[in-house]
Amino acid sequence: MNTFQKIYEAVKRIPKGKVATYGQIATLAGNVHWSRVVGYALHVNPDPENIHCYRVVNRNGEVSSAFAFGGKNMQISLLEAEGIQVENGKVDLEKYRWRAENE
DNA sequence: GGGGTGACGCGTC
DNA sequence: CGACGCGCCACCC
């Protein structure tokens, strides 16, 4: 199991209508310090259809500005389509943050 | 083979 | 409360 593979698995675990932070993904993948690798892993995103990278937001709940797969607006639209309210490019982590430890 | 960078996170100043 | 630095891993030059 490669590091990237773990990250992808963690991202795929994010349920519909929920979002996860890079830190969450990094923790689920193995180490919280992999936050950078998580970003890079999603950057290469070999399987965007299965890897819902748009559900991953930074620690502030804000979508990545470098999300160039269709524009930041596209990511927000996808999140709203799942029932996630996005305000000013940010989501309410207190309400929409996926809590893996609660599963 | 070595060095620098990157869709980040957290602690400290 | 805002800004800066350090740490981790993988990829590119």
Side-chain angles (χ1 to χ4, degrees):
Chain A
M1 186 74 79
N2 291 337
T3 303
F4 271 41
Q5 190 63 45
K6 289 183 179 180
I7 295 170
Y8 296 140
E9 290 295 311
V11 176
K12 286 193 283 188
R13 280 187 202 161
I14 305 173
K16 181 180 179 183
K18 294 283 184 179
V19 296
T21 64
Y22 286 91
Q24 284 266 220
I25 299 301
T27 302
L28 291 170
N31 291 310
V32 64
H33 298 128
W34 289 1
S35 49
R36 276 190 120 142
V37 192
V38 173
Y40 205 91
L42 294 179
H43 177 68
V44 295
N45 202 355
D47 194 0
E49 294 183 3
N50 286 304
I51 303 169
H52 307 121
C53 46
Y54 58 88
R55 286 184 187 159
V56 185
V57 296
N58 61 25
R59 132 113 200 127
N60 291 316
E62 187 175 354
V63 298
S64 300
S65 48
F67 204 87
F69 101 98
K72 181 172 62 178
N73 198 328
M74 189 62 178
Q75 182 180 10
I76 295 173
S77 297
L78 290 168
L79 292 173
E80 289 182 336
E82 307 224 329
I84 301 171
Q85 188 174 12
V86 182
E87 288 189 28
N88 199 8
K90 292 190 267 187
V91 302
D92 193 338
L93 292 176
E94 293 300 312
K95 294 182 179 182
Y96 302 111
R97 184 178 173 221
W98 172 49
R99 303 194 176 184
E101 64 264 17
N102 199 7
E103 287 193 18

